[in-house]
C-alpha cells in the first residue's frame, strides 16, 4: 500500500523546480544585470519591462530575486551536504561501532554543540571574509554536530535489527554491512530531516545577511534584499515583499516535501 | 438498563466488521455470533489474519478508524454496545470490560510507575481518593500474585520481567472489577513456564470473580483445559463451535482437525513429520465462493469450492460446524440449521453420509 | 561419531555499569556430532541465544574455545574468521526483522553469493531461483518484492533460503518458529527436517518450547541462568528428566487435549528468575528448586555423567 503524496507535494515540488531552474539559468534568461544601477528609473512599480519593478538604485528587482536565490540554494544545499559529510559519516561510524569510537565522536559533537553557533559563524566570517563559500562552510560546520546526533541515533536503532546480525553472519565485511544494510535504512529515515535542515540553513543565511554578515554587497541575497527593503520602506513600500515571498514559499515547499516524504517512507505498520 | 438476569452477559449477533483499505473492503469479521454467560470462558482460536483480534476489539468497539461495524449487534448485559456514544463506551472500557493484550511491553506506559497505571483507572471510574486507590491497587497486585506488591507499586515496567509485567496488565484490567475480561493472546510473548502461571492465574481470577472471559489464541493447546467452550475462526468466520470436551472428542470441521494435528506434542516421538496446513489464509478482500478453507483442505470437493457451508448442528447440543465433508462423515440430517443466523436451511437430500 | 563443533568452557559476560557484570553464559561445554540435531532449551534470559551468537562470534566470548571443524574461531580475526565461519549459518527468531526491508528478495537471498563468489549476476539469480523452489517460494512472483509484503512463515522460508546459499555444514536456528502460528510452525519444522537430510546438515536448534524441540532433536541440552543443567539423548531426557528444572519445564508444556489430566505432582516453577548480574551461589537453580538443601548453596554441582550420554548438573538428580 502506498500513500498518495497529494497535491500540496506536487505544487511544492513545482515551486522548487522553478526556483532551481531559474537559479541555474539566470545568466541565459533575458534579465538585466542584477547589480547594474539605473537600468531604469528608481522605484518603479511592476511593469512589462521590469516585472517586479526597480529598487532605489534603479536595479531590476526580479533579476535580483532570481540571482539572490543562487546564494540561498548554494548555502542551503551546500552547507547541509557538508554537514552530512562531517556529521553523517561520523554518526554512522559512532552509531554502528559504539564504545570508544562513539565516545570520541560524541564528545567532539557535545563540545561543538555547547559553543554558541552564531559566535562561531561570525568568527569564521570575520577571519575568512564574506564569500559565498565561507558562509556555506560556516553553516555546514555549525550544523554538523546536530546531523551527527540524529544520524547516530538512527544508526543505533538500525544496528540492533536482526538483518544486520544476519548480514554479519553470512560473512559480509563491515563496509558491506554499512553500505548495504545500515546506510539505506538510515538514509530513508533521514530524508525528511535533511529537507528540513536545508530549510533551516537557508533561513540561517537569510538571517546572517539581514545582519549584514553574509555575502558582501552588492551581490544580491534574499536576506540582504529584505534588509534593504525594510530600510527603504518610505520610498518603495513593497520592495521587501518580493524576496520575502520567495523565501516564504521556498521554506514552505521544502517543509511540505519533507513532511510528505516522511509519511511515504516512514515505518510501515502492517495493516489492521 | 435492561434486567441483567434475563440474558447472557454477552450476546454477539451476526457481527460484521469491515475495514476500508486502498485495496478494497476487508471483511475481517463476517457474520459471527456467539454468547457468553457470566462465570464462563470462551476460547477463540485461529491463525493470524483469521479475524480473532478484530472480533475481540469489535466486542469492545475499540477499533481503528478504518474499521467499521457494518452490521449486527453486541449485547452486553442486554444493551447494544454498537449503538453506544463514545462517552458511554468510555464508561464501560476498564470499568465493565477489561482487556489484557499480547505484549505487556507495549501495553504499559514505560515512563509511568505501575502503581499509577493501576490507580488511574480506579480513580477514573470509582471516584475515590488517592490513599484508598493505592490500597486497592496493592490488594489487586496481591490478587494477581505479584511478589512484594508494596515495593512493586512504585516500580517502572522495565524493572519487571515479562511474566510480572503481564501480571500488571491483568491487575489493570481487573482494577475496577469488570464483568467481562478479554485476553488477547495473553501468553504468546511469554516463556512456556510463565505461560502456565499466567493462564492458571487468569482462570482462577475468572472463577473467583465470576467474570465472563474471552480467551483469544492461535494455540489450541493453550485453551484445551481452560475454556468451557471453543470457537474456531477462519477467514473472518466461526467455522466450528462447541463445548471444549465435545470439540476435542468429536471435532467435525477439517480445519479444526488440521489445526490440532499441526501442534507438536510431548507425547509424540521425535522426528515425526507434523501435519501442516499448507498455504495461507485467504485474502479477505473479495472472498471467493464456497468454503473459505477449501483451497487448503485435502478433503475439498466440487461442492466445497462452489457452495459455502452454513453453520450446521452436530449430534450434540451446542456443537456447530461449517463443513461439507466433516470428520466422521455427515451426521443424520441436521434438522435445524441455525435459523437466527439467517442461513437458508439446506435440503435433507443434499446431505451425504460418507461413512 | 565425527565432531563438527566443540564448545569448551564458553563464557560470555557483559559490562553492566561500574563493577557490575552480566553473567550471560558461564562456563558451558558441549559438542555436536556431524549430522545430529541438538536442541538447546531454556527460558528467556538463560543465555541460549547468547550461546548461539557467541558460537558465530557475533558476540565476542569473554573466554573459552569454539572449535568448528578443528579451527578455534575465537582466535581468528576479520577475513580469516569470516572465511572459517562460512560453514556455519544462522536463522533468527524474528522472521521480518531479520530481512532488510529495503532490499528485494532475490538480492537478500543472493547476498551470500554476492559476498563470496565471483559468478555473474545471472548465475547468481539462477541459484537463487533454485533455492526459492527448494524452500517452497514462487521465484517469479516474489523475486522483486520486499519482505513486508510477506507473512511471517514466508519470511522465515526466505531466511532459510539465504542461510543455505553457501552450503553450510552447521545451521544455528535461534528460536526459528516461536514467532509463528502453530500451523505455520509445522510447515517450517517439516521444511527444516527435509533440508537437513538433503544437505546433511548439523543443527543447533535453540528454542523455549520443549514440544517443538522434541520433534526435531536427537539430543537436548537444558540451560538455566547461563549454566548447563542437563544434556542427553532426547528420548531419555523426555522420559526420565534428571534435573528438577528439566522436569519443571516439561510439566509446563500444555497438552492440547482436555482429557489428559494434569499431573497432580506437576512441578510448577514458583518465583522469578534471579538476576544474571548477581546469580545465586552454588547451584543457580536452588532458589526455585523444591529439593534444595544446604549443600546446593555452598557448592556448585558439576556436570557429570549419570548414565552413558546423559549428563546432569545437580546434587540430587531425580530417578
Amino acid at each position: 500500500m502506498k500513500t498518495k503524496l497529494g497535491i500540496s507535494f506536487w505544487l511544492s515540488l513545482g515551486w522548487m523546480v522553478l526556483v532551481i531552474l531559474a537559479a541555474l539559468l539566470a545568466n541565459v534568461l533575458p534579465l538585466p544585470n542584477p547589480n547594474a544601477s539605473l537600468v531604469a528609473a528608481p522605484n518603479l512599480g511592476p511593469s512589462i519591462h521590469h516585472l517586479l519593478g526597480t529598487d532605489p538604485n534603479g536595479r531590476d528587482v526580479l533579476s535580483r530575486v532570481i540571482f539572490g536565490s543562487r546564494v540561498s540554494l548554494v548555502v542551503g544545499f551546500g552547507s547541509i551536504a557538508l554537514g552530512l559529510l562531517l556529521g553523517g559519516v561520523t554518526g554512522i561510524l559512532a552509531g554502528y561501532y559504539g564504545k570508544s569510537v562513539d565516545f570520541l565522536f560524541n564528545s567532539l559533537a557535545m563540545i561543538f554543540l555547547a559553543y554558541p553557533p552564531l559566535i562561531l559563524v561570525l568568527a569564521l566570517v570575520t577571519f575568512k571574509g564574506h564569500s559565498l563559500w565561507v558562509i556555506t562552510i560556516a553553516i555546514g560546520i555549525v550544523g554538523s554536530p546536530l546531523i551527527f546526533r540524529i544520524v547516530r541515533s538512527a544508526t543505533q536503532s538500525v544496528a540492533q535489527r536482526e538483518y544486520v546480525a544476519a548480514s554479519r553472519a553470512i560473512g559480509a565485511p563491515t563496509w558491506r554491512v554499512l553500505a548495504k544494510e545500515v546506510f539505506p535504512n538510515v538514509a530513508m529515515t533521514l530524508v525528511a530531516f535533511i529537507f528540513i535542515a536545508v530549510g533551516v540553513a537557508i533561513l540561517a543565511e537569510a538571517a546572517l545577511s539581514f545582519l549584514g554578515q553574509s555575502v558582501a554587497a552588492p551581490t544580491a541575497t534574499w536576506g540582504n534584499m529584505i534588509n534593504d527593503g525594510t530600510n527603504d520602506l518610505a520610498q518603495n513600500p513593497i520592495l521587501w515583499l518580493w524576496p520575502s515571498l520567495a523565501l516564504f514559499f521556498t521554506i514552505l515547499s521544502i517543509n511540505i516535501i519533507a513532511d510528505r516524504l516522511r509519511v511515504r517512507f516512514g515505518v510501515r505498520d502492517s495493516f489492521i | 438498563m435492561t434486567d441483567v438476569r434475563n440474558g447472557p452477559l454477552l450476546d454477539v449477533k451476526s457481527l460484521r466488521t469491515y475495514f476500508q483499505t486502498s485495496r478494497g473492503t476487508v471483511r475481517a469479521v463476517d457474520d459471527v455470533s456467539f454468547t457468553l454467560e457470566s462465570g464462563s470462558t470462551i476460547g477463540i482460536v485461529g491463525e493470524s489474519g483469521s479475524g480473532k483480534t478484530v472480533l475481540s476489539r469489535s466486542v469492545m468497539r475499540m477499533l481503528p478508524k478504518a474499521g467499521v461495524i457494518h452490521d449486527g449487534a453486541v449485547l452486553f448485559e442486554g444493551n447494544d454496545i454498537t449503538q453506544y456514544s463514545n462517552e458511554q463506551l468510555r464508561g464501560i472500557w476498564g470499568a465493565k470490560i477489561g482487556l489484557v493484550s499480547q505484549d505487556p511491553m507495549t501495553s504499559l506506559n514505560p515512563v509511568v510507575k505501575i502503581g499509577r497505571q493501576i490507580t488511574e483507572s480506579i480513580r477514573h471510574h470509582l471516584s475515590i481518593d488517592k490513599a484508598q486507590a493505592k490500597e486497592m491497587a496493592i490488594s489487586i497486585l496481591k490478587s494477581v500474585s505479584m511478589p512484594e506488591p508494596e515495593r512493586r507499586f512504585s516500580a517502572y515496567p522495565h524493572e519487571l520481567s515479562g511474566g510480572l509485567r503481564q501480571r500488571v496488565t491483568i491487575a489493570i484490567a481487573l482494577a475496577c472489577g469488570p464483568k467481562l475480561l478479554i485476553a488477547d493472546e495473553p501468553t504468546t510473548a511469554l516463556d512456556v513456564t510463565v505461560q502456565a502461571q499466567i493462564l492458571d492465574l487468569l482462570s482462577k481470577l475468572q472463577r473467583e470473580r465470576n467474570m465472563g472471559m474471552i480467551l483469544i489464541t492461535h494455540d489450541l493447546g493453550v485453551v484445551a483445559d481452560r475454556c468451557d467452550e471453543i470457537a474456531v475462526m477462519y477467514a473472518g468466520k466461526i467455522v466450528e463451535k462447541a463445548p471444549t470436551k465435545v470439540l476435542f472428542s468429536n471435532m467435525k470441521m477439517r480445519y479444526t482437525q488440521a489445526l490440532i494435528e499441526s501442534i507438536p506434542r510431548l507425547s509424540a516421538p521425535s522426528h515425526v513429520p507434523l501435519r501442516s496446513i499448507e498455504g495461507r489464509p485467504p485474502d479477505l478482500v473479495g472472498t471467493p465462493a464456497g468454503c473459505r478453507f477449501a483451497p487448503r483442505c485435502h478433503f475439498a470437493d466440487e461442492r466445497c469450492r462452489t457452495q459455502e457451508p452454513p453453520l450446521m448442528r452436530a449430534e450434540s447440543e451446542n456443537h456447530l460446524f461449517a463443513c461439507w465433508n466433516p470428520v466422521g462423515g455427515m451426521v443424520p440430517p441436521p434438522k435445524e440449521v441455525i435459523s437466527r443466523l439467517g442461513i437458508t436451511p439446506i435440503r435433507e437430500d443434499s446431505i451425504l453420509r460418507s461413512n | 561419531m565425527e565432531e563438527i563443533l566443540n564448545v569448551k568452557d564458553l563464557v560470555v559476560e557483559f559490562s553492566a555499569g561500574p563493577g557490575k557484570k552480566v553473567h550471560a553464559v558461564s562456563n558451558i561445554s558441549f559438542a555436536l556430532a556431524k549430522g545430529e540435531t541438538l536442541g538447546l532449551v531454556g527460558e528467556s534470559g538463560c543465555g541460549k541465544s547468547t550461546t548461539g551468537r557467541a558460537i558465530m562470534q557475533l558476540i565476542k566470548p569473554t573466554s573459552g574455545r569454539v572449535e568448528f571443524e578443528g579451527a578455534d574461531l575465537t582466535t581468528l580475526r576479520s577475513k580469516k574468521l569470516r572465511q572459517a565461519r562460512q560453514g556455519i549459518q544462522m536463522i533468527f527468531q524474528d522472521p521480518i526483522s531479520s530481512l532488510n526491508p529495503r532490499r528485494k528478495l532475490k538480492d537478500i537471498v543472493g547476498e551470500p553469493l554476492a559476498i563470496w563468489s565471483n559468478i555473474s549476476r545471472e548465475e547468481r539469480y539462477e541459484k537463487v531461483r533454485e533455492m526459492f523452489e527448494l524452500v517452497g517460494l514462487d521465484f517469479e512472483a516474489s523475486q522483486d518484492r520486499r519482505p513486508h509484503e510477506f507473512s511471517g512463515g514466508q519470511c522465515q522460508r526466505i531466511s532459510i533460503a539465504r542461510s543455505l546459499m553457501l552450503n553450510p555444514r552447521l545451521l544455528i536456528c535461534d528460536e526459528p518458529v516461536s514467532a509463528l502460528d502453530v500451523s505455520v510452525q509445522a510447515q517450517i519444522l517439516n521444511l527444516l527436517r527435509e533440508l537437513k537430510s538433503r544437505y546433511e546438515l548439523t543443527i543447533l536448534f535453540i528454542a523455549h518450547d520443549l514440544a517443538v524441540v522434541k520433534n526435531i532433536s536427537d539430543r537436548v541440552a537444558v540451560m538455566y541462568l547461563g549454566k548447563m543443567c542437563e544434556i542427553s539423548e532426547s528420548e531419555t531426557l523426555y522420559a526420565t528428566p534428571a534435573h528438577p528444572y528439566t522436569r519443571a519445564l516439561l510439566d509446563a508444556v500444555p497438552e492440547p487435549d482436555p482429557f489428559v489430566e494434569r499431573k497432580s505432582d506437576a512441578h510448577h516453577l514458583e518465583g522469578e528468575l534471579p538476576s544474571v548480574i548477581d546469580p545465586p551461589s552454588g547451584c543457580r537453580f536452588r532458589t526455585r528448586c523444591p529439593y534444595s538443601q544446604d549443600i546446593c548453596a555452598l557448592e556448585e554441582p558439576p556436570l557429570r555423567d549419570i548414565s552413558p550420554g546423559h549428563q546432569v548438573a545437580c546434587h540430587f538428580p531425580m530417578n
Side-chain angles (χ1 to χ4, degrees):
Chain A
M1 271 205 313
K2 297 202 166 173
T3 359
K4 291 215 170 88
L5 289 164
I7 184 79
S8 58
F9 174 85
W10 295 109
L11 282 177
S12 303
L13 195 69
W15 171 260
M16 287 311 293
V17 169
L18 187 75
V19 170
I20 290 169
L21 278 181
L24 287 174
L25 302 176
N27 286 331
V28 292
L29 290 175
L31 291 168
N33 183 335
N35 299 326
S37 299
L38 294 173
V39 292
N43 296 325
L44 285 180
S47 69
I48 191 73
H49 298 290
H50 303 284
L51 289 176
L52 301 181
T54 55
D55 71 358
N57 293 328
R59 295 179 293 197
D60 181 76
V61 175
L62 177 65
S63 172
R64 286 183 68 74
V65 168
I66 288 175
F67 277 89
S69 72
R70 288 180 156 190
V71 175
S72 292
L73 293 176
V74 166
V75 171
F77 288 95
S79 64
I80 297 307
L82 178 71
L84 278 173
L85 206 65
L86 293 175
V89 172
T90 51
I92 284 190
L93 293 177
Y96 183 73
Y97 282 103
K99 293 181 185 160
S100 51
V101 180
D102 185 42
F103 182 78
L104 176 75
F105 288 129
N106 198 30
S107 309
L108 269 172
M110 304 260 251
I111 292 167
F112 262 92
L113 280 172
Y115 207 82
L118 189 61
I119 295 181
L120 206 67
V121 173
L122 290 182
L124 266 169
V125 171
T126 311
F127 286 112
K128 293 287 176 187
H130 294 234
S131 84
L132 183 60
W133 300 111
V134 174
I135 302 289
T136 304
I137 290 168
I139 293 178
I141 289 175
V142 166
S144 61
L146 288 168
I147 293 174
F148 165 83
R149 296 283 290 197
I150 284 165
V151 172
R152 169 176 172 262
S153 75
T155 308
Q156 281 170 340
S157 90
V158 168
Q160 283 171 5
R161 305 304 298 269
E162 300 221 278
Y163 54 78
V164 173
S167 171
R168 292 173 60 206
I170 295 165
T174 305
W175 66 265
R176 195 179 175 99
V177 177
L178 289 173
K180 295 261 179 186
E181 316 291 333
V182 178
F183 176 73
N185 286 286
V186 170
M188 283 303 172
T189 61
L190 285 179
V191 168
F193 165 74
I194 288 165
F195 274 87
I196 291 170
V198 168
V200 172
I202 290 175
L203 280 177
E205 188 281 328
L208 277 177
S209 49
F210 190 79
L211 296 172
Q213 295 298 335
S214 184
V215 185
T219 309
T221 80
W222 290 347
N224 66 24
M225 288 178 72
I226 296 171
N227 189 18
D228 292 347
T230 50
N231 291 336
D232 299 333
L233 271 180
Q235 296 140 302
N236 192 341
I238 57 165
L239 190 55
W240 62 274
L241 186 66
W242 310 116
S244 301
L245 280 179
L247 185 64
F248 174 77
F249 282 120
T250 302
I251 300 296
L252 186 67
S253 298
I254 286 174
N255 279 306
I256 288 172
I257 291 171
D259 186 62
R260 300 311 301 164
L261 289 179
R262 183 186 58 75
V263 173
R264 177 69 174 267
F265 290 113
V267 181
R268 276 193 198 86
D269 290 326
S270 63
F271 95 93
I272 300 190
Chain B
M1 282 249 173
T2 329
D3 192 345
V4 178
R5 283 158 294 181
N6 278 343
L9 174 70
L10 182 72
D11 188 357
V12 177
K13 291 182 173 173
S14 310
L15 190 68
R16 293 172 198 267
T17 304
Y18 294 173
F19 280 76
Q20 300 302 334
T21 71
S22 58
R23 295 182 308 125
T25 303
V26 176
R27 299 164 175 235
V29 174
D30 199 359
D31 194 9
V32 167
S33 303
F34 68 91
T35 60
L36 180 67
E37 302 286 345
S38 291
S40 63
T41 302
I42 185 168
I44 296 182
V45 182
E47 293 172 273
S48 4
S50 63
K52 56 190 194 301
T53 295
V54 177
L55 172 63
S56 72
R57 296 299 197 275
S58 304
V59 166
M60 298 182 75
R61 248 190 73 199
M62 193 181 264
L63 288 164
K65 274 211 185 87
V68 175
I69 294 181
H70 187 76
D71 196 10
V74 178
L75 302 179
F76 177 68
E77 296 185 320
N79 300 304
D80 189 355
I81 290 184
T82 60
Q83 306 301 323
Y84 271 26
S85 67
N86 288 343
E87 192 62 34
Q88 284 173 303
L89 282 175
R90 275 193 296 276
I92 57 166
W93 288 347
K96 295 201 159 181
I97 304 181
L99 175 70
V100 176
S101 57
Q102 177 173 353
D103 189 352
M105 202 58 220
T106 52
S107 63
L108 295 173
N109 185 339
V111 295
V112 177
K113 288 179 180 172
I114 64 169
R116 225 190 94 203
Q117 301 197 39
I118 301 171
T119 54
E120 220 157 55
S121 159
I122 300 176
R123 295 187 64 198
H124 176 74
H125 289 293
L126 325 162
S127 47
I128 52 174
D129 70 27
K130 219 173 168 180
Q132 279 175 304
K134 180 174 180 178
E135 211 171 285
M136 239 180 111
I138 288 176
S139 82
I140 293 164
L141 282 174
K142 267 184 201 148
S143 73
V144 298
S145 312
M146 173 72 75
E148 305 176 78
E150 287 86 2
R151 193 165 71 80
R152 294 283 160 52
F153 183 85
S154 40
Y156 287 97
H158 68 88
E159 298 175 80
L160 306 179
S161 68
L164 290 188
R165 276 199 291 263
Q166 196 59 294
R167 285 173 197 271
V168 174
T169 60
I170 294 172
I172 293 172
L174 294 179
C176 300
K179 299 278 194 316
L180 172 65
L181 187 66
I182 299 179
D184 185 1
E185 303 258 9
T187 59
T188 306
L190 304 174
D191 274 313
V192 192
T193 48
V194 187
Q195 185 174 316
Q197 291 173 8
I198 295 290
L199 290 170
D200 287 346
L201 175 70
L202 282 171
S203 302
K204 180 178 143 251
L205 292 165
Q206 180 260 328
R207 276 194 310 274
E208 280 173 7
R209 296 170 173 239
N210 199 35
M211 292 184 292
M213 180 156 87
I214 302 178
L215 183 59
I216 295 160
T217 177
H218 70 273
D219 188 350
L220 268 166
V222 162
V223 291
D225 57 352
R226 291 183 171 89
C227 293
D228 303 298
E229 196 180 24
I230 291 176
V232 179
M233 269 190 93
Y234 187 77
K237 285 189 174 286
I238 287 182
V239 293
E240 183 158 18
K241 184 162 80 76
T244 307
K245 291 203 171 176
V246 175
L247 185 88
F248 276 90
S249 59
N250 189 24
M251 64 191 64
K252 290 287 175 194
M253 172 66 189
R254 295 291 176 180
Y255 177 65
T256 314
Q257 185 190 31
L259 211 51
I260 287 189
E261 286 176 357
S262 66
I263 303 173
R265 293 171 188 238
L266 271 186
S267 48
S270 298
H271 303 305
V272 180
L274 297 160
R275 157 100 191 263
S276 67
I277 311 173
E278 296 306 326
R280 333 168 42 174
D283 189 349
L284 296 178
V285 177
T287 34
C291 173
R292 295 178 183 187
F293 184 57
R296 301 168 77 188
C297 182
H298 295 299
F299 302 90
D301 59 21
E302 200 41 45
R303 176 159 59 158
C304 298
R305 283 182 280 271
T306 52
Q307 204 178 338
E308 186 172 351
L311 268 180
M312 294 171 265
R313 181 159 287 171
E315 295 93 327
S316 76
E317 193 74 6
N318 304 327
H319 185 177
L320 303 175
F321 67 96
C323 187
W324 290 128
N325 293 312
V327 186
M330 192 60 96
V331 284
K335 291 236 163 55
E336 298 167 81
V337 171
I338 311 310
S339 55
R340 84 175 164 86
L341 298 182
I343 292 160
T344 35
I346 33 174
R347 294 201 321 275
E348 289 187 11
D349 60 2
S350 70
I351 293 156
L352 298 169
R353 249 197 116 171
S354 49
N355 57 333
Chain C
M1 284 289 260
E2 194 189 337
E3 255 176 28
I4 186 165
L5 179 79
N6 197 339
V7 177
K8 277 184 195 156
D9 303 319
L10 186 73
V11 177
V12 183
E13 288 167 355
F14 305 108
S15 158
K20 284 186 183 169
K21 258 188 223 159
V22 173
H23 301 266
V25 176
S26 303
N27 235 337
I28 68 165
S29 302
F30 62 92
L32 257 80
K34 214 171 177 134
E36 78 167 339
T37 300
L38 175 70
L40 187 58
V41 196
E43 291 171 276
S44 42
C46 74
K48 57 188 193 298
S49 288
T50 310
T51 303
R53 282 167 198 240
I55 292 170
M56 282 301 275
Q57 308 294 309
L58 291 177
I59 297 172
K60 276 276 155 222
T62 311
S63 66
R65 294 162 67 80
V66 175
E67 286 170 12
F68 174 66
E69 294 179 335
D72 184 359
L73 297 183
T74 59
T75 60
L76 300 177
R77 289 288 172 271
S78 62
K79 184 142 197 221
K80 278 198 173 146
L81 170 64
R82 291 192 289 110
Q83 263 163 351
R85 205 176 48 187
Q86 274 186 59
I88 317 179
Q89 290 297 322
M90 193 157 179
I91 299 166
F92 296 86
Q93 173 174 6
D94 185 339
I96 293 158
S97 163
S98 58
L99 305 174
N100 185 339
R102 308 282 174 209
R103 300 188 77 181
K104 294 176 178 172
L105 290 205
K106 63 178 180 194
D107 291 317
I108 290 175
V109 176
E111 177 77 359
L113 291 180
I115 295 168
W116 290 108
S117 88
N118 295 321
I119 58 174
S120 71
R121 183 180 295 240
E122 288 68 35
E123 285 175 276
R124 186 163 83 225
Y125 287 148
E126 195 43 47
K127 298 212 165 183
V128 172
R129 173 200 298 276
E130 287 166 20
M131 192 55 80
F132 266 55
E133 272 158 28
L134 204 63
V135 299
L137 287 167
D138 181 351
F139 181 77
E140 294 307 327
S142 50
Q143 55 169 335
D144 288 323
R145 304 229 206 146
R146 291 187 169 78
H148 67 91
E149 296 181 56
F150 295 85
S151 68
Q154 287 172 309
C155 285
Q156 208 57 299
R157 285 175 194 270
I158 297 160
S159 276
I160 292 171
R162 170 174 61 187
S163 73
L164 294 177
M165 290 304 279
L166 294 173
N167 296 317
R169 274 81 71 198
L170 172 63
L171 199 58
I172 298 177
C173 305
D174 187 1
E175 300 258 18
V177 296
S178 63
L180 305 175
D181 275 337
V182 269
S183 56
V184 183
Q185 174 177 302
Q187 293 175 12
I188 299 296
L189 288 172
N190 290 343
L191 176 66
L192 279 173
R193 198 188 337 273
E194 210 180 291
L195 294 171
K196 183 195 146 132
S197 62
R198 185 184 181 117
Y199 284 89
E200 295 172 343
L201 291 168
T202 307
I203 296 181
L204 178 63
F205 192 92
I206 301 168
H208 71 270
D209 185 333
L210 277 154
V212 167
V213 167
K214 181 172 185 188
N215 182 267
I216 199 157
S217 306
D218 303 304
R219 282 199 304 145
V220 176
V222 182
M223 280 182 79
Y224 182 79
L225 220 62
K227 288 276 181 192
M228 194 65 90
C229 298
E230 186 167 3
I231 311 184
S232 162
E233 296 287 324
S234 79
E235 294 295 335
T236 319
L237 186 120
Y238 284 88
T240 54
H243 199 290
Y245 179 63
T246 312
R247 173 76 193 277
L249 278 181
L250 283 170
D251 286 350
V253 178
E255 188 68 15
D257 186 345
F259 299 102
V260 173
E261 284 292 313
R262 276 197 278 169
K263 286 179 217 150
S264 53
D265 62 337
H267 285 55
H268 271 309
L269 276 184
E270 297 301 328
E272 283 292 303
L273 208 61
S275 157
V276 273
I277 293 174
D278 185 22
S281 64
C283 173
R284 290 190 181 176
F285 184 57
R286 69 177 163 85
T287 52
R288 299 168 81 189
C289 180
Y291 308 110
S292 165
Q293 310 267 331
D294 292 344
I295 185 178
C296 300
L298 299 171
E299 226 175 275
E300 187 185 325
L303 197 65
R304 60 192 167 98
D305 285 310
I306 54 165
S307 64
H310 189 173
Q311 293 174 298
V312 64
C314 179
H315 291 299
F316 307 102
M318 310 195 321
N319 310 307

